[in-house]
């Protein structure tokens, strides 16, 4: 399978000395302490979608406190949870990642701060980078009522502060289940570090994580 080669807006902007149109020129502010919730266990699951799952998975594999990450599909039914079907954009699925994390080491709020800072441009509707369609939408699938509360409050905080130059269109959707993707999509970035799509579109996200979140970085 191939994907088109594309220079992300953030990278192009850096080369031209300007900020990307929809993104903040600096680290996205963290959730207010009143938004995040204290840990009640040592294992929690977050499900997020932000374009091609290769890059999203690749970023969270380098976050301290993350126990496991897998690529898959969320938003549709089990019967259509396949790459070919999801790629049609008619299944309701988004290419998603399931992040299992230790909330005593990294909170859900921090997971979202990383998401909005380096994973996805939340101002783009039904597309990220070179990929377009509902399957590449920016979406959060809270797995608990507490996560849904944090997600809503944090998006409201970022919107009120006008952190981005355009409105945030990231959706908060009911969690209907997560369906792992085919084997060839799992840990794709680590297994294919020289793949052109990875080099151009996804490696800069990992570098941004390392640079902007040194306290959360795991090499």
């Amino acid at each position: 399978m191939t994907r088109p080669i594309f220079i992300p807006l953030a990278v192009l902007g850096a080369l031209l000395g300007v900020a990307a149109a929809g993104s903040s020129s600096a680290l996205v502010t963290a959730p207010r302490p009143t938004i995040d919730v204290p840990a009640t266990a040592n294992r929690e699951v977050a499900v997020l979608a932000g374009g091609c799952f290769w890059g999203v998975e690749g970023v969270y594999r380098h976050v301290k406190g993350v126990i496991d990450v897998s690529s898959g599909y969320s938003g549709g039914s089990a019967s259509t949870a396949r790459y070919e079907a999801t790629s049609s954009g008619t299944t309701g699925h988004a290419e998603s990642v399931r992040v299992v994390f230790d909330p005593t080491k990294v909170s859900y709020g921090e997971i979202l701060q990383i998401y909005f800072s380096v994973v996805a441009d939340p101002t783009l509707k039904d597309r990220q980078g070179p990929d377009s369609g509902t399957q590449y939408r920016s979406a959060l699938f809270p797995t608990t009522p507490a996560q849904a509360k944090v997600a809503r409050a944090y998006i409201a905080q970022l919107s009120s502060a006008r952190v981005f130059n355009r409105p945030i269109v990231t959706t908060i959707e009911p969690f209907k289940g997560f369906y792992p993707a085919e084997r060839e999509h799992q840990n794709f970035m680590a297994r294919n570090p020289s793949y052109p799509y990875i080099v151009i579109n996804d490696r800069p996200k990992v570098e941004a994580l390392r640079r902007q979140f040194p306290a959360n970085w795991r090499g």
Side-chain angles (χ1 to χ4, degrees):
M1 183 193 62
T2 61
R3 292 184 187 267
I5 295 175
F6 174 80
I7 300 177
L9 285 175
V11 175
L12 181 60
L15 293 173
L16 297 177
V18 297
S23 64
S24 168
S25 59
L27 178 68
V28 172
T29 184
R32 297 190 187 97
T34 54
I35 289 177
D36 228 342
V37 293
T40 57
N42 61 4
R43 181 179 287 252
E44 195 171 331
V45 175
V47 177
L48 318 95
C52 173
F53 42 27
W54 296 344
V56 184
E57 179 187 355
V59 168
Y60 285 108
R61 284 191 179 276
H62 289 282
V63 174
K64 192 180 300 181
V66 168
I67 300 167
D68 184 60
V69 192
S70 54
S71 290
Y73 312 104
S74 198
S77 67
S79 63
T80 58
R82 303 182 307 278
Y83 184 79
E84 293 78 8
T86 297
S87 295
S88 71
T90 62
T91 66
H93 281 300
E95 289 195 10
S96 305
V97 297
R98 179 178 185 265
V99 181
V100 182
F101 63 100
D102 182 344
T104 67
K105 297 179 180 178
V106 59
S107 70
Y108 183 66
E110 289 175 296
I111 294 288
L112 294 187
Q113 185 188 15
I114 290 169
Y115 176 87
F116 287 114
S117 295
V118 304
V119 170
D121 183 339
T123 70
L124 299 178
K125 183 173 176 58
D126 294 339
R127 66 185 179 93
Q128 289 291 317
D131 303 309
S132 62
T134 58
Q135 68 272 32
Y136 298 113
R137 65 189 181 273
S138 170
L140 308 176
F141 299 92
T143 61
T144 67
Q147 285 188 2
K149 182 177 180 180
V150 170
R152 287 193 299 268
Y154 190 32
I155 288 177
Q157 174 188 326
L158 297 178
S159 297
S160 177
R162 297 187 178 181
V163 171
F164 299 96
N165 296 333
R166 294 191 296 256
I168 294 174
V169 297
T170 300
T171 56
I172 301 173
E173 304 181 24
F175 178 63
K176 301 176 181 178
F178 175 83
Y179 307 97
E182 298 79 354
R183 182 179 298 178
E184 61 264 29
H185 294 297
Q186 304 298 337
N187 204 16
F188 189 92
M189 183 186 294
R191 294 187 296 104
N192 301 274
S194 300
Y195 193 71
Y197 182 98
I198 293 295
V199 172
I200 296 172
N201 294 286
D202 295 332
R203 189 180 296 170
K205 297 178 182 180
V206 176
E207 286 303 309
L209 173 72
R210 180 185 60 80
R211 188 172 60 252
Q212 296 185 32
F213 292 89
N216 296 102
W217 171 259
R218 178 177 64 193

